[in-house]
Amino acid sequence: MRDQWGRNINYLRVSVTERCNLRCRYCMPHGVPLCTHSDTLRYEELLRICAAASAIGITRFKITGGEPLVRQDCADFLARLKALPGVEQVTLTTNGLLLPQYLDALAQAGVDAINISLDTLRPERYHQITGSDGRSVTRVLEALDACVERGIRTKINTVLLPETSDELALLASLAAARPVDVRFIELMPIGEGRKLTGISQDEALARLRIAWPDLHATSERRGNGPAQYYAANGLTGRIGLIGAVSHAFCSSCNRVRLTSTGTLKPCLCYGEGTDLRGLLRAGCTDEALTLALAGAVRGKPLAHCFNQHSGATERRAMFQIGG
Ligand code: SAM
Ligand code: SF4
């Protein structure tokens, strides 16, 4: 459906849990309080909301979190979501650590694409950024190759952090021999990200051009995201840049977000949202649910204001929102 500004909203990011097996320093610091299991929507509740979303024209869904694969039966949920009428595409965003365990089930469930988040290839930095054993880098790279071998469309997502600015070309070279896109995302002032300074898309591009002087923008759309893609000789996949802060792409925004506790968020930047869990648990009809969703989508704000920190009213952290 169209929002009040005429944009076609056809994409819902669905967080299935706040919990995570990593503690990325810009997302989920150690010791954060977590919501209770009863605050988290049950799969049946998530599916009811997704069915209502499909009824208003949302055809593409991203399963995210926290780490979605730490929630039991996530692949089964994915299969049930894919089977809903009107659902065309279900993709997953993961830190990759549990992929070896769940890739078969995800493939059987019909996952359409997988995004793997990986900010560094250096074990000691991986440990500093995620709090986890640096040897996990190898595990994540093996999972990436397993996805590619299965023919699953796979992307790497890398947040542009100052401490990894010297290895962007190395990370991008994951797209050299593999048909994988590597996307660099500006750090957003959400949660812990408010206290940190990332590096800009332009600086990243300048650094990447040292390794690939012929890097050139393409007009391809590769997935549902706002990335600007670049190609170069020697790259099988593409390099994507997401200037979430420096290059607002709100005029083409196609998405809304559902937190694992049932708030429908029309824009990442603002705290406002519609409490769908309250509605569901008060026994609302499918019609009332669909109306509430449609109202939230229609009222989506025109633009984020990440470049003026004071206007951003979202106080939840990224692991609570779903990224
Ligand atoms: N745990 C999964 C993962 O890491 O892919 C899914 C959830 S995570 C919140 C989704 C994405 O949000 C990850 O790629 C992560 O790097 C990104 N992210 C988290 N905090 C961010 C921030 N402040 N700015 C930009 N991206 C952020
Ligand atoms: Fe977990 Fe993903 Fe946040 Fe890292 S970015 S702490 S993996 S939810």
Side-chain angles (χ1 to χ4, degrees), residues 215-223 225-231 238-239:
L215 202 62
H216 55 278
T218 74
S219 54
E220 293 160 294
R221 241 185 103 71
R222 298 164 73 89
Q228 166 69 60
Y229 283 101
Y230 293 79
R238 298 282 183 267
I239 293 175

Side-chain angles (χ1 to χ4, degrees), residues 231-243:
N233 281 328
L235 289 179
T236 306
R238 298 282 183 267
I239 293 175
L241 284 159
I242 303 185

Side-chain angles (χ1 to χ4, degrees), residues 143-194:
L144 167 68
D145 284 331
C147 290
V148 172
E149 272 160 34
R150 282 181 172 274
I152 297 173
R153 199 154 48 84
T154 311
K155 293 184 182 135
I156 294 286
N157 282 344
T158 300
V159 175
L160 287 166
L161 301 169
E163 66 264 41
T164 56
S165 59
D166 60 349
E167 60 169 314
L168 301 186
L170 199 62
L171 281 153
S173 67
L174 294 174
R178 304 171 180 83
V180 160
D181 296 340
V182 178
R183 306 189 312 168
F184 296 99
I185 305 170
E186 284 178 349
L187 178 72
M188 288 180 262
I190 294 270
E192 289 299 294
R194 294 171 77 87

